[in-house]
PDB file of all heavy atoms in Angstrom:
ATOM      1  N   SER A   1       0.859  -1.185   0.000  1.00  0.00           N
ATOM      2  CA  SER A   1       0.000   0.000   0.000  1.00  0.00           C
ATOM      3  C   SER A   1       0.893   1.232   0.000  1.00  0.00           C
ATOM      4  O   SER A   1       2.117   1.126   0.009  1.00  0.00           O
ATOM      5  CB  SER A   1      -0.934   0.005   1.215  1.00  0.00           C
ATOM      6  OG  SER A   1      -0.240   0.371   2.383  1.00  0.00           O
ATOM      7  N   ASP A   2       0.266   2.407  -0.009  1.00  0.00           N
ATOM      8  CA  ASP A   2       1.027   3.656   0.017  1.00  0.00           C
ATOM      9  C   ASP A   2       1.389   4.098   1.432  1.00  0.00           C
ATOM     10  O   ASP A   2       2.114   5.073   1.605  1.00  0.00           O
ATOM     11  CB  ASP A   2       0.231   4.770  -0.666  1.00  0.00           C
ATOM     12  CG  ASP A   2      -0.018   4.507  -2.120  1.00  0.00           C
ATOM     13  OD1 ASP A   2       0.835   3.863  -2.731  1.00  0.00           O
ATOM     14  OD2 ASP A   2      -1.066   4.929  -2.643  1.00  0.00           O
ATOM     15  N   THR A   3       0.879   3.408   2.406  1.00  0.00           N
ATOM     16  CA  THR A   3       1.146   3.750   3.797  1.00  0.00           C
ATOM     17  C   THR A   3       1.685   2.536   4.555  1.00  0.00           C
ATOM     18  O   THR A   3       1.474   1.397   4.136  1.00  0.00           O
ATOM     19  CB  THR A   3      -0.112   4.266   4.510  1.00  0.00           C
ATOM     20  OG1 THR A   3      -1.136   3.253   4.450  1.00  0.00           O
ATOM     21  CG2 THR A   3      -0.619   5.538   3.842  1.00  0.00           C
ATOM     22  N   ALA A   4       2.362   2.793   5.654  1.00  0.00           N
ATOM     23  CA  ALA A   4       2.954   1.709   6.437  1.00  0.00           C
ATOM     24  C   ALA A   4       1.892   0.792   7.028  1.00  0.00           C
ATOM     25  O   ALA A   4       1.996  -0.433   6.954  1.00  0.00           O
ATOM     26  CB  ALA A   4       3.834   2.280   7.542  1.00  0.00           C
ATOM     27  N   ILE A   5       0.843   1.383   7.617  1.00  0.00           N
ATOM     28  CA  ILE A   5      -0.200   0.599   8.274  1.00  0.00           C
ATOM     29  C   ILE A   5      -1.315   0.269   7.291  1.00  0.00           C
ATOM     30  O   ILE A   5      -1.875   1.154   6.650  1.00  0.00           O
ATOM     31  CB  ILE A   5      -0.767   1.346   9.492  1.00  0.00           C
ATOM     32  CG1 ILE A   5       0.335   1.571  10.533  1.00  0.00           C
ATOM     33  CG2 ILE A   5      -1.922   0.558  10.117  1.00  0.00           C
ATOM     34  CD1 ILE A   5      -0.104   2.394  11.727  1.00  0.00           C
ATOM     35  N   ILE A   6      -1.593  -1.006   7.165  1.00  0.00           N
ATOM     36  CA  ILE A   6      -2.692  -1.494   6.339  1.00  0.00           C
ATOM     37  C   ILE A   6      -3.821  -1.907   7.270  1.00  0.00           C
ATOM     38  O   ILE A   6      -3.652  -2.792   8.103  1.00  0.00           O
ATOM     39  CB  ILE A   6      -2.272  -2.696   5.470  1.00  0.00           C
ATOM     40  CG1 ILE A   6      -1.076  -2.338   4.588  1.00  0.00           C
ATOM     41  CG2 ILE A   6      -3.439  -3.181   4.622  1.00  0.00           C
ATOM     42  CD1 ILE A   6      -0.476  -3.536   3.877  1.00  0.00           C
ATOM     43  N   HIS A   7      -4.952  -1.261   7.147  1.00  0.00           N
ATOM     44  CA  HIS A   7      -6.098  -1.603   7.977  1.00  0.00           C
ATOM     45  C   HIS A   7      -6.948  -2.635   7.242  1.00  0.00           C
ATOM     46  O   HIS A   7      -7.655  -2.314   6.291  1.00  0.00           O
ATOM     47  CB  HIS A   7      -6.930  -0.366   8.312  1.00  0.00           C
ATOM     48  CG  HIS A   7      -6.271   0.557   9.272  1.00  0.00           C
ATOM     49  ND1 HIS A   7      -6.207   0.316  10.627  1.00  0.00           N
ATOM     50  CD2 HIS A   7      -5.615   1.727   9.069  1.00  0.00           C
ATOM     51  CE1 HIS A   7      -5.544   1.288  11.224  1.00  0.00           C
ATOM     52  NE2 HIS A   7      -5.177   2.162  10.311  1.00  0.00           N
ATOM     53  N   GLY A   8      -6.863  -3.876   7.689  1.00  0.00           N
ATOM     54  CA  GLY A   8      -7.627  -4.935   7.066  1.00  0.00           C
ATOM     55  C   GLY A   8      -9.118  -4.687   7.149  1.00  0.00           C
ATOM     56  O   GLY A   8      -9.874  -4.971   6.222  1.00  0.00           O
ATOM     57  N   VAL A   9      -9.538  -4.159   8.266  1.00  0.00           N
ATOM     58  CA  VAL A   9     -10.945  -3.818   8.482  1.00  0.00           C
ATOM     59  C   VAL A   9     -11.043  -2.308   8.631  1.00  0.00           C
ATOM     60  O   VAL A   9     -10.610  -1.738   9.642  1.00  0.00           O
ATOM     61  CB  VAL A   9     -11.506  -4.523   9.729  1.00  0.00           C
ATOM     62  CG1 VAL A   9     -12.979  -4.178   9.904  1.00  0.00           C
ATOM     63  CG2 VAL A   9     -11.314  -6.034   9.620  1.00  0.00           C
ATOM     64  N   GLU A  10     -11.582  -1.634   7.619  1.00  0.00           N
ATOM     65  CA  GLU A  10     -11.614  -0.176   7.627  1.00  0.00           C
ATOM     66  C   GLU A  10     -12.522   0.384   8.716  1.00  0.00           C
ATOM     67  O   GLU A  10     -12.239   1.420   9.300  1.00  0.00           O
ATOM     68  CB  GLU A  10     -12.060   0.330   6.249  1.00  0.00           C
ATOM     69  CG  GLU A  10     -11.061   0.004   5.141  1.00  0.00           C
ATOM     70  CD  GLU A  10     -11.573   0.343   3.761  1.00  0.00           C
ATOM     71  OE1 GLU A  10     -12.727   0.820   3.663  1.00  0.00           O
ATOM     72  OE2 GLU A  10     -10.836   0.140   2.779  1.00  0.00           O
ATOM     73  N   GLU A  11     -13.613  -0.304   8.998  1.00  0.00           N
ATOM     74  CA  GLU A  11     -14.533   0.138  10.040  1.00  0.00           C
ATOM     75  C   GLU A  11     -14.649  -0.973  11.084  1.00  0.00           C
ATOM     76  O   GLU A  11     -15.665  -1.634  11.235  1.00  0.00           O
ATOM     77  CB  GLU A  11     -15.892   0.486   9.439  1.00  0.00           C
ATOM     78  CG  GLU A  11     -15.828   1.627   8.429  1.00  0.00           C
ATOM     79  CD  GLU A  11     -17.190   1.997   7.874  1.00  0.00           C
ATOM     80  OE1 GLU A  11     -18.182   1.354   8.226  1.00  0.00           O
ATOM     81  OE2 GLU A  11     -17.276   2.927   7.087  1.00  0.00           O
ATOM     82  N   SER A  12     -13.561  -1.147  11.840  1.00  0.00           N
ATOM     83  CA  SER A  12     -13.483  -2.258  12.785  1.00  0.00           C
ATOM     84  C   SER A  12     -14.547  -2.168  13.873  1.00  0.00           C
ATOM     85  O   SER A  12     -15.102  -3.178  14.300  1.00  0.00           O
ATOM     86  CB  SER A  12     -12.086  -2.334  13.413  1.00  0.00           C
ATOM     87  OG  SER A  12     -11.739  -1.113  14.053  1.00  0.00           O
ATOM     88  N   GLU A  13     -14.843  -0.940  14.330  1.00  0.00           N
ATOM     89  CA  GLU A  13     -15.853  -0.777  15.374  1.00  0.00           C
ATOM     90  C   GLU A  13     -17.216  -1.259  14.899  1.00  0.00           C
ATOM     91  O   GLU A  13     -17.939  -1.939  15.635  1.00  0.00           O
ATOM     92  CB  GLU A  13     -15.932   0.686  15.804  1.00  0.00           C
ATOM     93  CG  GLU A  13     -16.885   0.918  16.982  1.00  0.00           C
ATOM     94  CD  GLU A  13     -16.894   2.359  17.454  1.00  0.00           C
ATOM     95  OE1 GLU A  13     -16.057   3.161  16.974  1.00  0.00           O
ATOM     96  OE2 GLU A  13     -17.745   2.689  18.315  1.00  0.00           O
ATOM     97  N   LYS A  14     -17.568  -0.908  13.650  1.00  0.00           N
ATOM     98  CA  LYS A  14     -18.849  -1.335  13.095  1.00  0.00           C
ATOM     99  C   LYS A  14     -18.902  -2.863  12.960  1.00  0.00           C
ATOM    100  O   LYS A  14     -19.921  -3.488  13.254  1.00  0.00           O
ATOM    101  CB  LYS A  14     -19.076  -0.675  11.730  1.00  0.00           C
ATOM    102  CG  LYS A  14     -20.444  -0.975  11.113  1.00  0.00           C
ATOM    103  CD  LYS A  14     -20.588  -0.320   9.750  1.00  0.00           C
ATOM    104  CE  LYS A  14     -20.663   1.195   9.887  1.00  0.00           C
ATOM    105  NZ  LYS A  14     -20.951   1.847   8.569  1.00  0.00           N
ATOM    106  N   LEU A  15     -17.800  -3.467  12.511  1.00  0.00           N
ATOM    107  CA  LEU A  15     -17.756  -4.923  12.373  1.00  0.00           C
ATOM    108  C   LEU A  15     -17.913  -5.608  13.725  1.00  0.00           C
ATOM    109  O   LEU A  15     -18.685  -6.562  13.860  1.00  0.00           O
ATOM    110  CB  LEU A  15     -16.446  -5.366  11.724  1.00  0.00           C
ATOM    111  CG  LEU A  15     -16.221  -6.888  11.649  1.00  0.00           C
ATOM    112  CD1 LEU A  15     -17.276  -7.549  10.767  1.00  0.00           C
ATOM    113  CD2 LEU A  15     -14.816  -7.205  11.145  1.00  0.00           C
ATOM    114  N   LEU A  16     -17.203  -5.115  14.725  1.00  0.00           N
ATOM    115  CA  LEU A  16     -17.284  -5.720  16.049  1.00  0.00           C
ATOM    116  C   LEU A  16     -18.698  -5.601  16.629  1.00  0.00           C
ATOM    117  O   LEU A  16     -19.184  -6.527  17.279  1.00  0.00           O
ATOM    118  CB  LEU A  16     -16.262  -5.083  16.985  1.00  0.00           C
ATOM    119  CG  LEU A  16     -14.787  -5.409  16.674  1.00  0.00           C
ATOM    120  CD1 LEU A  16     -13.856  -4.624  17.584  1.00  0.00           C
ATOM    121  CD2 LEU A  16     -14.521  -6.897  16.820  1.00  0.00           C
ATOM    122  N   ASN A  17     -19.336  -4.465  16.388  1.00  0.00           N
ATOM    123  CA  ASN A  17     -20.716  -4.309  16.844  1.00  0.00           C
ATOM    124  C   ASN A  17     -21.631  -5.328  16.165  1.00  0.00           C
ATOM    125  O   ASN A  17     -22.537  -5.886  16.796  1.00  0.00           O
ATOM    126  CB  ASN A  17     -21.211  -2.893  16.570  1.00  0.00           C
ATOM    127  CG  ASN A  17     -20.573  -1.855  17.487  1.00  0.00           C
ATOM    128  OD1 ASN A  17     -20.099  -2.177  18.576  1.00  0.00           O
ATOM    129  ND2 ASN A  17     -20.556  -0.595  17.056  1.00  0.00           N
ATOM    130  N   ARG A  18     -21.411  -5.581  14.878  1.00  0.00           N
ATOM    131  CA  ARG A  18     -22.224  -6.540  14.138  1.00  0.00           C
ATOM    132  C   ARG A  18     -21.967  -7.975  14.613  1.00  0.00           C
ATOM    133  O   ARG A  18     -22.890  -8.788  14.669  1.00  0.00           O
ATOM    134  CB  ARG A  18     -21.924  -6.427  12.626  1.00  0.00           C
ATOM    135  CG  ARG A  18     -22.687  -7.407  11.752  1.00  0.00           C
ATOM    136  CD  ARG A  18     -24.158  -7.120  11.770  1.00  0.00           C
ATOM    137  NE  ARG A  18     -24.922  -8.138  11.073  1.00  0.00           N
ATOM    138  CZ  ARG A  18     -25.388  -9.239  11.646  1.00  0.00           C
ATOM    139  NH1 ARG A  18     -25.167  -9.464  12.951  1.00  0.00           N
ATOM    140  NH2 ARG A  18     -26.097 -10.104  10.948  1.00  0.00           N
ATOM    141  N   LEU A  19     -20.740  -8.270  14.972  1.00  0.00           N
ATOM    142  CA  LEU A  19     -20.387  -9.619  15.382  1.00  0.00           C
ATOM    143  C   LEU A  19     -20.697  -9.910  16.844  1.00  0.00           C
ATOM    144  O   LEU A  19     -20.623 -11.058  17.277  1.00  0.00           O
ATOM    145  CB  LEU A  19     -18.892  -9.877  15.118  1.00  0.00           C
ATOM    146  CG  LEU A  19     -18.451  -9.951  13.650  1.00  0.00           C
ATOM    147  CD1 LEU A  19     -16.941 -10.066  13.561  1.00  0.00           C
ATOM    148  CD2 LEU A  19     -19.105 -11.132  12.945  1.00  0.00           C
ATOM    149  N   GLU A  20     -21.034  -8.862  17.604  1.00  0.00           N
ATOM    150  CA  GLU A  20     -21.256  -9.044  19.032  1.00  0.00           C
ATOM    151  C   GLU A  20     -22.331 -10.096  19.312  1.00  0.00           C
ATOM    152  O   GLU A  20     -22.243 -10.839  20.292  1.00  0.00           O
ATOM    153  CB  GLU A  20     -21.642  -7.714  19.674  1.00  0.00           C
ATOM    154  CG  GLU A  20     -21.736  -7.774  21.188  1.00  0.00           C
ATOM    155  CD  GLU A  20     -21.973  -6.400  21.809  1.00  0.00           C
ATOM    156  OE1 GLU A  20     -21.495  -5.382  21.245  1.00  0.00           O
ATOM    157  OE2 GLU A  20     -22.657  -6.348  22.859  1.00  0.00           O
ATOM    158  N   GLU A  21     -23.340 -10.198  18.455  1.00  0.00           N
ATOM    159  CA  GLU A  21     -24.409 -11.167  18.667  1.00  0.00           C
ATOM    160  C   GLU A  21     -23.914 -12.611  18.593  1.00  0.00           C
ATOM    161  O   GLU A  21     -24.564 -13.533  19.100  1.00  0.00           O
ATOM    162  CB  GLU A  21     -25.526 -10.960  17.652  1.00  0.00           C
ATOM    163  CG  GLU A  21     -25.137 -11.265  16.194  1.00  0.00           C
ATOM    164  CD  GLU A  21     -26.272 -11.050  15.217  1.00  0.00           C
ATOM    165  OE1 GLU A  21     -27.036 -12.008  15.020  1.00  0.00           O
ATOM    166  OE2 GLU A  21     -26.365  -9.943  14.658  1.00  0.00           O
ATOM    167  N   TYR A  22     -22.758 -12.813  17.940  1.00  0.00           N
ATOM    168  CA  TYR A  22     -22.213 -14.157  17.817  1.00  0.00           C
ATOM    169  C   TYR A  22     -21.294 -14.534  18.976  1.00  0.00           C
ATOM    170  O   TYR A  22     -20.916 -15.707  19.112  1.00  0.00           O
ATOM    171  CB  TYR A  22     -21.441 -14.309  16.498  1.00  0.00           C
ATOM    172  CG  TYR A  22     -22.314 -14.201  15.272  1.00  0.00           C
ATOM    173  CD1 TYR A  22     -22.379 -13.026  14.536  1.00  0.00           C
ATOM    174  CD2 TYR A  22     -23.090 -15.278  14.855  1.00  0.00           C
ATOM    175  CE1 TYR A  22     -23.181 -12.919  13.410  1.00  0.00           C
ATOM    176  CE2 TYR A  22     -23.900 -15.186  13.729  1.00  0.00           C
ATOM    177  CZ  TYR A  22     -23.940 -14.005  13.014  1.00  0.00           C
ATOM    178  OH  TYR A  22     -24.746 -13.909  11.901  1.00  0.00           O
ATOM    179  N   LEU A  23     -20.886 -13.564  19.799  1.00  0.00           N
ATOM    180  CA  LEU A  23     -19.934 -13.839  20.868  1.00  0.00           C
ATOM    181  C   LEU A  23     -20.369 -14.970  21.808  1.00  0.00           C
ATOM    182  O   LEU A  23     -19.531 -15.773  22.224  1.00  0.00           O
ATOM    183  CB  LEU A  23     -19.653 -12.563  21.671  1.00  0.00           C
ATOM    184  CG  LEU A  23     -18.614 -11.608  21.073  1.00  0.00           C
ATOM    185  CD1 LEU A  23     -18.519 -10.332  21.886  1.00  0.00           C
ATOM    186  CD2 LEU A  23     -17.248 -12.284  20.994  1.00  0.00           C
ATOM    187  N   PRO A  24     -21.649 -15.068  22.177  1.00  0.00           N
ATOM    188  CA  PRO A  24     -22.037 -16.187  23.064  1.00  0.00           C
ATOM    189  C   PRO A  24     -21.802 -17.567  22.461  1.00  0.00           C
ATOM    190  O   PRO A  24     -21.761 -18.566  23.196  1.00  0.00           O
ATOM    191  CB  PRO A  24     -23.536 -15.941  23.307  1.00  0.00           C
ATOM    192  CG  PRO A  24     -23.711 -14.468  23.085  1.00  0.00           C
ATOM    193  CD  PRO A  24     -22.770 -14.131  21.970  1.00  0.00           C
TER     194      PRO A  24
END
């Protein structure tokens, strides 16, 4: 990429909120 840090998940907070229902 053009930057050192590559963010695999651009909106990680949104993804984690969506996956929270699967945590149990």
Side-chain angles (χ1 to χ4, degrees):
S1 76
D2 297 329
T3 59
I5 298 176
I6 303 171
H7 289 283
V9 182
E10 295 173 359
E11 298 182 358
S12 57
E13 185 177 352
K14 185 181 291 186
L15 174 64
L16 290 175
N17 288 337
R18 178 66 187 89
L19 292 174
E20 187 174 328
E21 67 180 272
Y22 294 100
L23 278 175

